[in-house]
Amino acid sequence: MKRLVFLFSILTFIVFSCKKVDREQTPKLDKTILKGCVIGRDSDTLLLVKSIGDARSETLASIPIVNWEFNFEFKTDTIQAYDLIFKDEFDNGGWMPIRFFPEKDTIIMTLYSMDAYRNTEITGGKSNIMYDNYQKEISIPYMTELNEFYKIFDSIPYNTVNSSAYNDLVNKLQIAEMQEEKVVLYKSMDDLKANNLHRSDFGKQIDSQVNVIQNAYWDKKYAFISKNPSIVSYSLLIDDIMSLEYNPAPKEKIITALNELKNKYPNHTYSALAENLWIGFTELQPGGQYINFNAPDINDVSYELKSFVDKNDIVLLDLWATWCGPCIARSRLMRPVYDEYKDKGFEIVGVAGENKNLNAYKKFMAKEQWPWKSLIELDKRNKIWEKYNVMNGGGGMFLIDGSGKILAVDPSADEVKSILKDRLKNQSIKL
């Protein structure tokens, strides 16, 4: 009983503290001040990251939570979306980002546990008000409807939704130990999805009903974006372009919204980003043309991708990062292919996407010693990940022929070897 009274006293203190902060006067400032409290959890740290960034490698700051409260100040050149992430969630591998828009104002937050995420309160600044309206009117009702729909099938085994071929891969993945094994299995699973062979007949029926719910959501979301052309809407559009590979929003709605927002915000960082991402997604498909860029090696000598494409019959562009285990596994699997075809018109150009410094890169390369040309993309200076629309991951692979045409995206080592065997027969390196 005493423990219950103690817990009640703590919660009362927290709620009182939140309300007290909420009543403070917040005059306009030359910086953004975050003030808030946390209810229902014992987390001690929040991570700050741009919404377009990757929390695994691009965390901007760690914000301490002391006695369930936090206070943090920072400056930003332009209004754009940022995320707060509870570090304990991040460390466990699954997190629910809390989006906000820093304006020259004080932003007051009341944050809850992941289970009570929808109770989050953020006040301060017009952008946060608009985003809150979007959440309450469109996003949360959509997620609620989707969750209610999936509850119908809670008692049904997951494997009944998938095809036998897909379930076989899932079972193999569960016992796989090496990252190289997992990469091959993930690729096979992606291939089944691409050919619509991953679902059972029952699973296809469920997907069809989900599509109805999702299409209604897209209609409401893009009606909101059209009615509210703002940085908030731009951030929502960027989300959709970045996730087209696995969550395809209607492309005609995307291009309409993109043209409207680019015209309104021609100099905003989102405009160049959105254009790069859109071109990357639409062009960098089999049959499309590669995108040229320059990047330095470890000695700061700059190289142009075009020079490798012009010199060789086929080039594999390998975008990877030292913190990306699957990327490294894919690269390792390509090494036997490279050794066999490196003198027959085939070249690999690796680009490591690193942040802040090259310490991890130097240590990794001293051990791994990739035999092909290795370049570096430090702090997104050349926007290569944007241009190839792989910002949601550590990287990607693109097989390019001598004319600049994309032959394959994220091919397996076996697929690359098959293409090389067919196309490089009786050929020599271009002069």
Side-chain angles (χ1 to χ4, degrees):
M1 183 68 176
K2 289 182 179 180
R3 185 179 180 184
L4 289 175
V5 172
F6 175 68
L7 289 173
F8 177 76
S9 300
I10 291 176
L11 290 175
T12 302
F13 170 77
I14 295 173
V15 173
F16 173 78
S17 176
C18 289
K19 289 182 177 179
K20 181 178 179 181
V21 171
D22 218 12
R23 290 198 301 266
E24 289 182 1
Q25 297 299 313
T26 54
K28 296 297 180 183
L29 305 169
D30 63 352
K31 57 192 171 186
T32 297
I33 298 178
L34 302 181
K35 287 186 177 182
C37 60
V38 178
I39 296 177
R41 63 188 303 157
D42 294 324
S43 305
D44 60 9
T45 306
L46 285 164
L47 304 178
L48 176 67
V49 62
K50 289 182 180 178
S51 293
I52 58 174
D54 192 320
R56 294 168 295 186
S57 58
E58 299 177 73
T59 298
L60 301 174
S62 294
I63 303 173
I65 303 171
V66 180
N67 295 326
W68 302 281
E69 294 186 346
F70 59 93
N71 196 321
F72 185 73
E73 300 180 3
F74 71 107
K75 294 183 178 181
T76 180
D77 296 334
T78 183
I79 297 175
Q80 59 178 298
Y82 282 71
D83 289 339
L84 289 178
I85 298 169
F86 283 104
K87 187 176 183 300
D88 55 345
E89 290 181 3
F90 175 81
D91 291 340
N92 288 329
W95 60 92
M96 186 72 74
I98 301 148
R99 177 165 298 187
F100 72 96
F101 295 82
E103 300 182 10
K104 293 178 180 178
D105 200 345
T106 297
I107 299 175
I108 310 298
M109 300 182 172
T110 304
L111 309 182
Y112 294 80
S113 64
M114 186 183 288
D115 292 340
Y117 172 81
R118 295 173 184 175
N119 296 329
T120 297
E121 298 176 9
I122 300 177
T123 59
K126 295 179 180 179
S127 296
N128 289 308
I129 294 173
M130 181 178 292
Y131 184 65
D132 184 61
N133 290 337
Y134 165 77
Q135 289 280 87
K136 291 178 179 177
E137 295 172 8
I138 299 173
S139 182
I140 291 176
Y142 163 65
M143 293 304 301
T144 300
E145 182 179 7
L146 204 57
N147 288 336
E148 289 300 317
F149 174 76
Y150 280 126
K151 281 182 182 178
I152 300 172
F153 309 101
D154 279 351
S155 61
I156 299 174
Y158 178 68
N159 60 7
T160 63
V161 176
N162 299 321
S163 66
S164 58
Y166 194 85
N167 283 328
D168 183 52
L169 293 172
V170 171
N171 293 334
K172 291 179 179 178
L173 187 62
Q174 290 174 344
I175 61 175
E177 297 181 358
M178 300 296 292
Q179 191 67 255
E180 287 82 354
E181 295 178 81
K182 295 178 182 179
V183 164
V184 173
L185 292 170
Y186 281 129
K187 180 64 171 63
S188 297
M189 293 166 78
D190 288 341
D191 289 343
L192 288 178
K193 290 179 181 178
N195 292 291
N196 199 27
L197 298 174
H198 65 302
R199 294 297 199 204
S200 63
D201 289 340
F202 177 61
K204 290 177 182 178
Q205 293 176 17
I206 294 176
D207 285 349
S208 178
Q209 295 178 66
V210 168
N211 287 338
V212 172
I213 298 172
Q214 195 168 49
N215 288 337
Y217 163 69
W218 295 131
D219 288 342
K220 292 176 183 177
K221 180 174 185 176
Y222 280 87
F224 175 91
I225 290 175
S226 177
K227 185 179 178 180
N228 302 280
S230 61
I231 297 303
V232 172
S233 293
Y234 223 159
S235 73
L236 298 174
L237 176 65
I238 294 289
D239 289 342
D240 284 349
I241 300 177
M242 288 178 64
S243 59
L244 275 168
E245 182 178 351
Y246 56 85
N247 191 27
K251 297 179 179 60
E252 68 278 1
K253 293 183 183 296
I254 287 180
I255 196 63
T256 298
L258 178 56
N259 287 332
E260 291 177 354
L261 292 168
K262 276 173 54 181
N263 288 335
K264 183 169 183 179
Y265 300 102
N267 299 317
H268 193 280
T269 184
Y270 280 171
S271 290
L273 171 61
E275 187 167 6
N276 279 336
L277 291 172
W278 181 250
I279 292 173
F281 178 78
T282 55
E283 293 295 325
L284 295 172
Q285 301 290 339
Q289 286 287 309
Y290 84 108
I291 296 174
N292 193 32
F293 60 79
N294 288 74
D297 64 8
I298 191 64
N299 298 313
D300 205 31
V301 176
S302 182
Y303 290 85
E304 185 179 19
L305 178 59
K306 184 177 183 297
S307 65
F308 296 98
V309 174
D310 289 345
K311 183 180 179 180
N312 295 278
D313 289 298
I314 296 180
V315 171
L316 179 69
L317 173 62
D318 179 16
L319 306 180
W320 64 287
T322 54
W323 52 266
C324 177
C327 301
I328 294 169
R330 286 195 296 266
S331 300
R332 286 173 177 162
L333 290 169
M334 289 296 172
R335 188 155 186 167
V337 181
Y338 178 78
D339 290 340
E340 183 175 352
Y341 286 93
K342 63 183 179 180
D343 297 322
K344 301 177 183 179
F346 175 58
E347 183 59 271
I348 295 178
V349 178
V351 184
E354 301 297 292
N355 291 282
K356 298 179 181 178
N357 59 63
L358 297 178
N359 294 341
Y361 174 82
K362 292 176 181 177
K363 182 178 180 180
F364 176 87
M365 291 300 286
K367 177 182 178 181
E368 199 76 22
Q369 296 184 347
W370 299 136
W372 47 77
K373 177 56 68 176
S374 296
L375 307 178
I376 299 164
E377 170 76 326
L378 183 62
D379 296 329
K380 299 181 177 179
R381 291 174 182 173
N382 299 294
K383 303 186 184 301
I384 298 171
W385 265 242
E386 286 182 25
K387 294 174 181 177
Y388 279 77
N389 199 351
V390 290
M391 289 180 64
N392 269 333
M397 286 184 168
F398 301 84
L399 196 64
I400 308 165
D401 74 7
S403 70
K405 184 171 72 174
I406 302 292
L407 300 177
V409 176
D410 289 331
S412 67
D414 286 342
E415 288 172 337
V416 172
K417 186 172 181 177
S418 176
I419 292 172
L420 293 176
K421 184 177 181 181
D422 178 62
R423 296 177 67 103
L424 300 184
K425 190 181 298 182
N426 299 321
Q427 292 189 31
S428 59
I429 298 177
K430 293 192 292 185
L431 300 177

